[in-house]
Amino acid sequence: MKTSFTDLIGSKYPIIAGPMFLVSDETLVTAACDAGIVGACPSLNWRTTEQFRQALKTIKQSVGTKPFAVNIIVNKSNLRAEPDLKACLDEGVPLFVTSLGSPKQVIADAHKNGAKVFCDVVNVEYAKKVQDLGADGVIAVSQGAGGHAGPISSMVLVPYLKKHLSIPIVAAGGIATGRGLAAALALGASAVQIGTRFIASTECRVNESYKKAIVAAEPEDIVLTSRISGTPATVIKTPYIEKVGLDLNPIEKWLLNTNRTKKWAKLLVNLRGMKWLEAAATRTTWKEVWSAGQGVGLIDQVEPVATIVQHLISEYEEAVNGLPHAKP
Ligand SMILES: Cc1cc2nc3c(=O)[nH]c(=O)nc-3n(C[C@H](O)[C@H](O)[C@H](O)COP(=O)(O)O)c2cc1C
């Protein structure tokens, strides 16, 4: 499967196992790379930059020359953006995924190092900005994606970006099968980024109840909540999510919108959200806050990453071969 993405990045398949906070570790990244796709992790999955640097060394040793990616959050609230970027440059990370904020510094430094940068985007305005800054590609994060989902359906977002950009587009959101991969490539994407499907993998080290919840959930069980970070994010509707509600309370909103308190309020909301996510991802708790996208409806079992990738490829071929051919 050759696309402009595989040509640029050098992976066997045009698939990224998306970086996932509290989920993607050395084991998951290595399993993805071994299966012929690009493993990715957020730098913030390690408590300190030094621990992150050690993890990069382990990943590099395990994957050899296979490409992998690191996600750096580039907004002002990430105080580790600079040291984490330096660790990536020192360790020769070949691909960066940036999210939130301006990717200017990452693009400049990564390019000096011979690395590539793909930026998360949810609309064409921001996508054009990152293209002008020199991004090598964009990740089109659409409605229903796991994490901070965008507002636009992938059916529109991918061809819309294709119409306006000249750099490769990676489709993200709701892709969990080979049919989704085929559809994304037909829409004009050069690759896909898949998150939720890989949470339900044998190698993923989250709590078993999180994996079971993903297998059991229907697309209708996915709701958008602002309570985790202040920005709408997708989670499984559990009794705890129903209890705490999906929106911030009026006082939190006021604190977030007032200049004097904005920064600290954001930090506190984030901290509470991270604590919920961490507890639910690592142990059994009644505070079930599980981040996942609408693709849950397409996930029926927990399988090894290599098996998931084999299915993606065989289903892709089946989907493409099953399409009606236009008669002359
Ligand atoms: C639990 C979870 C955590 C995520 N954390 C991050 C993150 O830290 N950084 C990031 O760029 N994307 C993050 N994402 C988004 C994924 O990388 C990917 O774009 C998304 O999951 C694709 O949609 P899908 O889940 O429908 O496949 C996260 C997604 C999930 C499900």
Side-chain angles (χ1 to χ4, degrees), residues 46-118:
W46 290 267
R47 287 198 190 278
T48 64
T49 298
E50 201 36 51
Q51 286 173 6
F52 168 55
R53 188 186 284 274
Q54 289 311 315
L56 286 180
K57 287 186 197 290
T58 308
I59 290 171
K60 267 180 47 187
Q61 229 168 29
S62 320
V63 305
T65 55
K66 297 184 201 100
F68 66 97
V70 169
N71 166 236
I72 298 200
I73 292 178
V74 285
N75 69 6
K76 288 196 185 98
S77 72
N78 180 13
L79 305 175
R80 274 182 42 194
E82 217 180 292
D84 287 358
L85 173 60
K86 184 168 182 317
C88 291
L89 298 170
D90 292 346
E91 300 305 325
V93 167
L95 175 61
F96 289 86
V97 170
T98 66
S99 46
L100 312 167
S102 168
K104 192 172 175 184
Q105 193 64 47
V106 175
I107 293 172
D109 291 353
H111 284 176
K112 272 187 225 147
N113 240 33
K116 307 289 180 214
V117 183
F118 277 59

Side-chain angles (χ1 to χ4, degrees), residues 153-163 169 171 175 180-190:
S153 148
S154 53
M155 286 300 267
V156 174
L157 185 62
V158 175
Y160 189 49
L161 292 175
K162 183 82 183 163
K163 200 166 103 177
I169 296 158
I175 300 161
L181 170 61
L185 297 190
L187 288 171
S190 306

Side-chain angles (χ1 to χ4, degrees), residues 17-23 42 45 71 73 97-99 120 139 141 144-148 172-176 193-197 199 210 234 291-295:
M20 289 184 279
F21 184 60
L22 299 169
V23 174
N45 272 0
N71 166 236
I73 292 178
V97 170
T98 66
S99 46
D120 277 356
I139 301 188
V141 183
H148 289 133
I175 300 161
Q193 175 162 285
I194 299 177
T196 302
R197 180 64 190 97
I199 303 176
Y210 189 177
T234 44
S291 173
Q294 291 175 355

Side-chain angles (χ1 to χ4, degrees), residues 17-24 28 145-147 175-176 194-215 222 234-236 277 280-281 289-293 295-296 299 301-305 308:
M20 289 184 279
F21 184 60
L22 299 169
V23 174
S24 327
L28 195 56
I175 300 161
I194 299 177
T196 302
R197 180 64 190 97
F198 289 110
I199 303 176
S201 68
T202 318
E203 291 88 342
C204 180
R205 293 208 184 143
V206 299
N207 193 283
E208 285 304 312
S209 49
Y210 189 177
K211 297 186 189 182
K212 278 190 191 145
I214 286 186
V215 171
I222 302 302
T234 44
V235 291
I236 300 177
L277 285 174
V289 182
W290 291 314
S291 173
V296 289
I299 303 168
Q301 52 182 323
V302 176
E303 288 171 306
V305 169
I308 295 172

